[in-house]
Each structure stands twice: as structure tokens, then as C-alpha cells.
Amino acid sequence: GENVEQHPSTLSVQEGDSAVIKCTYSDSASNYFPWYKQELGKRPQLIIDIRSNVGEKKDQRIAVTLNKTAKHFSLHITETQPEDSAVYFCAASRGRYSTLTFGKGTMLLVSP
Amino acid sequence: EPEVTQTPSHQVTQMGQEVILRCVPISNHLYFYWYRQILGQKVEFLVSFYNNEISEKSEIFDDQFSVERPDGSNFTLKIRSTKLEDSAMYFCASSGGTAGDSNYGYTFGSGTRLTVV
């Protein structure tokens, strides 16, 4: 089955800095890669996703890149703000309705 | 914005008891899922459900677990005889499947925190 590795497990940055979280996946049939933000005690919320037919997608301060050959994808957050502090999970699946396999999460702490 | 609704938000049960977790998926979605998250760990897949039957299940989803869509709106997860290790946050999710649906991806509910004592 699919295995998703996520690094780092914790990331501390100063407000205004950029943050990068990286994930690798094992299943070459995976073609959908969402990123979720989870605040303490709350549901995972989709913040951005990318399909395998594109290499990069951007939404304001958030961007995701995908390298299918190397089987890795990354989340980039620019101009970080304290409200970006949360746990971020990457995930991979074989399609829009298929099982999501999650990484172990990255706790991002943005200090003012 | 449409939401996935879960009840109860918190359930405490004694070991060996049966629990039913309830979910109301987004009304025009066709695919339904249960995931769980043990405190401090990653989200893990349990089961997916489509067209009134299980489409996929994980190793976690053993004979103690069952799912049902008893009517046109509810989707339930039953744990027949709870164990201490079943303590977790259980998330329901749904995803779209209608023609022309551009909403790619899941919507998660707010979760039910199950505590087995």
C-alpha cells in the first residue's frame, strides 16, 4: 500500500519567514495530493491540493509543488503569520474518491 | 458552505459497550468515509462507502466495526464491543460525485472524540 513520509515533524519560524514542509510517497499510481491544516481539537481542513498533471499550484501565500519522478511534493508558506500555527498533514491518493494516506504531520509554530 | 455534521462531539463509554457514531454527509455527495486519529498521531483510514456498500476498508476495520446508511441522510459507524485502544477522534468525510462537480477532495466533519474507559 501507499506510504507517505513527512518532514520535519516540527518547524518553528519567525513571523514573516517562509516555511517549507516536504512529503514523499511510494505508490506511483497516486495522482492526487492534498494538504490539510488542523488546529488543536478541530477537523482537518483542506488548504490546497494538486493533481499529478500539474507541477505547481499557488493560492495567495500558499503553494504546492510536485515532482512525480522523484515522488515528492512540498508545501510552501510565505510571509508566515501567527495564525498559520497548526499541524499540517500531507496526503496522497489514487484519485478523487480514493483512500487518503496521510503523513504523520508537521507542527508549525510561527512566533510573533 | 456545506458541512459534514457529526454527533455526538464527545462520547465516553465503558469498555465492552457498543457505540454508534453518527454523521450527516453533504447532501449531494456520493462517497462517504470514516477516518480516525489517535491523540497526537496521524489520521488513519477506516472505511469508504459508495452505492450502499463498503468500497474499501483498512486492517483497522475488523469485525467489531460496521457502517450503515440507514436513510438518505445519515451515515453511521458502529463499534460493537469497544476496547481501550479504540479511544480516538473519529472523523466522517464525504466527497462529491455528481456530474460536473468541480469540488475535488474531501470535506471532513468536526469529529467525535471517543473515550473508552
Side-chain angles (χ1 to χ4, degrees), chain A residues 49-57 65-68:
Chain A
D49 56 14
I50 191 166
R51 296 180 232 179
S52 60
N53 57 346
V54 298
E56 184 173 357
K57 183 176 177 181
T65 58
L66 171 66
N67 182 328
K68 281 191 65 180

PDB file of all heavy atoms in Angstrom, chain A residues 49-57 65-68:
ATOM      1  N   ASP A  49      -4.503  21.673  -2.853  1.00  0.00           N
ATOM      2  CA  ASP A  49      -4.264  20.324  -3.370  1.00  0.00           C
ATOM      3  C   ASP A  49      -3.681  20.423  -4.769  1.00  0.00           C
ATOM      4  O   ASP A  49      -3.737  21.468  -5.408  1.00  0.00           O
ATOM      5  CB  ASP A  49      -5.541  19.477  -3.366  1.00  0.00           C
ATOM      6  CG  ASP A  49      -6.694  20.112  -4.146  1.00  0.00           C
ATOM      7  OD1 ASP A  49      -6.463  21.066  -4.917  1.00  0.00           O
ATOM      8  OD2 ASP A  49      -7.837  19.646  -3.969  1.00  0.00           O
ATOM      9  N   ILE A  50      -3.101  19.331  -5.218  1.00  0.00           N
ATOM     10  CA  ILE A  50      -2.508  19.322  -6.545  1.00  0.00           C
ATOM     11  C   ILE A  50      -2.732  17.954  -7.167  1.00  0.00           C
ATOM     12  O   ILE A  50      -2.692  16.926  -6.481  1.00  0.00           O
ATOM     13  CB  ILE A  50      -0.993  19.688  -6.490  1.00  0.00           C
ATOM     14  CG1 ILE A  50      -0.445  19.937  -7.883  1.00  0.00           C
ATOM     15  CG2 ILE A  50      -0.191  18.620  -5.748  1.00  0.00           C
ATOM     16  CD1 ILE A  50       0.923  20.620  -7.872  1.00  0.00           C
ATOM     17  N   ARG A  51      -3.011  17.968  -8.432  1.00  0.00           N
ATOM     18  CA  ARG A  51      -3.167  16.721  -9.166  1.00  0.00           C
ATOM     19  C   ARG A  51      -1.906  16.470  -9.978  1.00  0.00           C
ATOM     20  O   ARG A  51      -1.142  17.384 -10.258  1.00  0.00           O
ATOM     21  CB  ARG A  51      -4.390  16.798 -10.084  1.00  0.00           C
ATOM     22  CG  ARG A  51      -5.673  16.944  -9.339  1.00  0.00           C
ATOM     23  CD  ARG A  51      -6.834  17.006 -10.288  1.00  0.00           C
ATOM     24  NE  ARG A  51      -7.667  18.162 -10.038  1.00  0.00           N
ATOM     25  CZ  ARG A  51      -8.746  18.460 -10.741  1.00  0.00           C
ATOM     26  NH1 ARG A  51      -9.120  17.715 -11.747  1.00  0.00           N
ATOM     27  NH2 ARG A  51      -9.468  19.530 -10.435  1.00  0.00           N
ATOM     28  N   SER A  52      -1.719  15.239 -10.386  1.00  0.00           N
ATOM     29  CA  SER A  52      -0.428  14.861 -10.962  1.00  0.00           C
ATOM     30  C   SER A  52      -0.193  15.423 -12.350  1.00  0.00           C
ATOM     31  O   SER A  52       0.900  15.293 -12.889  1.00  0.00           O
ATOM     32  CB  SER A  52      -0.293  13.340 -10.988  1.00  0.00           C
ATOM     33  OG  SER A  52      -1.324  12.772 -11.757  1.00  0.00           O
ATOM     34  N   ASN A  53      -1.200  16.073 -12.925  1.00  0.00           N
ATOM     35  CA  ASN A  53      -0.998  16.631 -14.256  1.00  0.00           C
ATOM     36  C   ASN A  53      -0.420  18.050 -14.212  1.00  0.00           C
ATOM     37  O   ASN A  53      -0.222  18.682 -15.264  1.00  0.00           O
ATOM     38  CB  ASN A  53      -2.308  16.612 -15.055  1.00  0.00           C
ATOM     39  CG  ASN A  53      -3.421  17.362 -14.355  1.00  0.00           C
ATOM     40  OD1 ASN A  53      -3.331  17.681 -13.180  1.00  0.00           O
ATOM     41  ND2 ASN A  53      -4.478  17.655 -15.099  1.00  0.00           N
ATOM     42  N   VAL A  54      -0.146  18.553 -13.011  1.00  0.00           N
ATOM     43  CA  VAL A  54       0.493  19.860 -12.875  1.00  0.00           C
ATOM     44  C   VAL A  54       1.670  19.746 -11.924  1.00  0.00           C
ATOM     45  O   VAL A  54       1.729  18.849 -11.099  1.00  0.00           O
ATOM     46  CB  VAL A  54      -0.483  20.950 -12.367  1.00  0.00           C
ATOM     47  CG1 VAL A  54      -1.613  21.151 -13.343  1.00  0.00           C
ATOM     48  CG2 VAL A  54      -1.016  20.586 -10.999  1.00  0.00           C
ATOM     49  N   GLY A  55       2.625  20.668 -12.064  1.00  0.00           N
ATOM     50  CA  GLY A  55       3.812  20.616 -11.227  1.00  0.00           C
ATOM     51  C   GLY A  55       3.793  21.590 -10.067  1.00  0.00           C
ATOM     52  O   GLY A  55       4.528  21.414  -9.106  1.00  0.00           O
ATOM     53  N   GLU A  56       2.931  22.614 -10.186  1.00  0.00           N
ATOM     54  CA  GLU A  56       2.908  23.626  -9.146  1.00  0.00           C
ATOM     55  C   GLU A  56       1.541  24.284  -9.131  1.00  0.00           C
ATOM     56  O   GLU A  56       0.882  24.451 -10.158  1.00  0.00           O
ATOM     57  CB  GLU A  56       3.984  24.682  -9.396  1.00  0.00           C
ATOM     58  CG  GLU A  56       4.098  25.735  -8.297  1.00  0.00           C
ATOM     59  CD  GLU A  56       5.284  26.670  -8.484  1.00  0.00           C
ATOM     60  OE1 GLU A  56       6.058  26.463  -9.431  1.00  0.00           O
ATOM     61  OE2 GLU A  56       5.428  27.593  -7.668  1.00  0.00           O
ATOM     62  N   LYS A  57       1.130  24.665  -7.925  1.00  0.00           N
ATOM     63  CA  LYS A  57      -0.143  25.371  -7.775  1.00  0.00           C
ATOM     64  C   LYS A  57       0.020  26.373  -6.652  1.00  0.00           C
ATOM     65  O   LYS A  57       0.652  26.078  -5.634  1.00  0.00           O
ATOM     66  CB  LYS A  57      -1.259  24.377  -7.455  1.00  0.00           C
ATOM     67  CG  LYS A  57      -2.643  24.964  -7.343  1.00  0.00           C
ATOM     68  CD  LYS A  57      -3.647  23.843  -7.115  1.00  0.00           C
ATOM     69  CE  LYS A  57      -5.046  24.376  -6.912  1.00  0.00           C
ATOM     70  NZ  LYS A  57      -6.006  23.253  -6.672  1.00  0.00           N
ATOM     71  N   THR A  65       4.252  22.189  -4.679  1.00  0.00           N
ATOM     72  CA  THR A  65       4.990  21.710  -5.845  1.00  0.00           C
ATOM     73  C   THR A  65       4.994  20.196  -5.834  1.00  0.00           C
ATOM     74  O   THR A  65       4.951  19.565  -4.776  1.00  0.00           O
ATOM     75  CB  THR A  65       6.439  22.217  -5.834  1.00  0.00           C
ATOM     76  OG1 THR A  65       7.076  21.785  -4.623  1.00  0.00           O
ATOM     77  CG2 THR A  65       6.484  23.735  -5.913  1.00  0.00           C
ATOM     78  N   LEU A  66       5.033  19.611  -7.001  1.00  0.00           N
ATOM     79  CA  LEU A  66       5.009  18.158  -7.149  1.00  0.00           C
ATOM     80  C   LEU A  66       6.078  17.727  -8.134  1.00  0.00           C
ATOM     81  O   LEU A  66       6.172  18.262  -9.229  1.00  0.00           O
ATOM     82  CB  LEU A  66       3.632  17.700  -7.640  1.00  0.00           C
ATOM     83  CG  LEU A  66       3.490  16.239  -8.058  1.00  0.00           C
ATOM     84  CD1 LEU A  66       3.675  15.316  -6.856  1.00  0.00           C
ATOM     85  CD2 LEU A  66       2.131  16.006  -8.720  1.00  0.00           C
ATOM     86  N   ASN A  67       6.859  16.745  -7.719  1.00  0.00           N
ATOM     87  CA  ASN A  67       7.841  16.124  -8.606  1.00  0.00           C
ATOM     88  C   ASN A  67       7.469  14.651  -8.711  1.00  0.00           C
ATOM     89  O   ASN A  67       7.776  13.860  -7.824  1.00  0.00           O
ATOM     90  CB  ASN A  67       9.257  16.303  -8.034  1.00  0.00           C
ATOM     91  CG  ASN A  67      10.331  15.725  -8.948  1.00  0.00           C
ATOM     92  OD1 ASN A  67      10.105  14.740  -9.644  1.00  0.00           O
ATOM     93  ND2 ASN A  67      11.496  16.340  -8.947  1.00  0.00           N
ATOM     94  N   LYS A  68       6.783  14.297  -9.779  1.00  0.00           N
ATOM     95  CA  LYS A  68       6.299  12.919  -9.934  1.00  0.00           C
ATOM     96  C   LYS A  68       7.437  11.927 -10.095  1.00  0.00           C
ATOM     97  O   LYS A  68       7.368  10.796  -9.632  1.00  0.00           O
ATOM     98  CB  LYS A  68       5.368  12.817 -11.138  1.00  0.00           C
ATOM     99  CG  LYS A  68       3.973  13.297 -10.892  1.00  0.00           C
ATOM    100  CD  LYS A  68       3.072  12.903 -12.040  1.00  0.00           C
ATOM    101  CE  LYS A  68       2.919  11.403 -12.142  1.00  0.00           C
ATOM    102  NZ  LYS A  68       2.030  11.004 -13.256  1.00  0.00           N
TER     103      LYS A  68
END
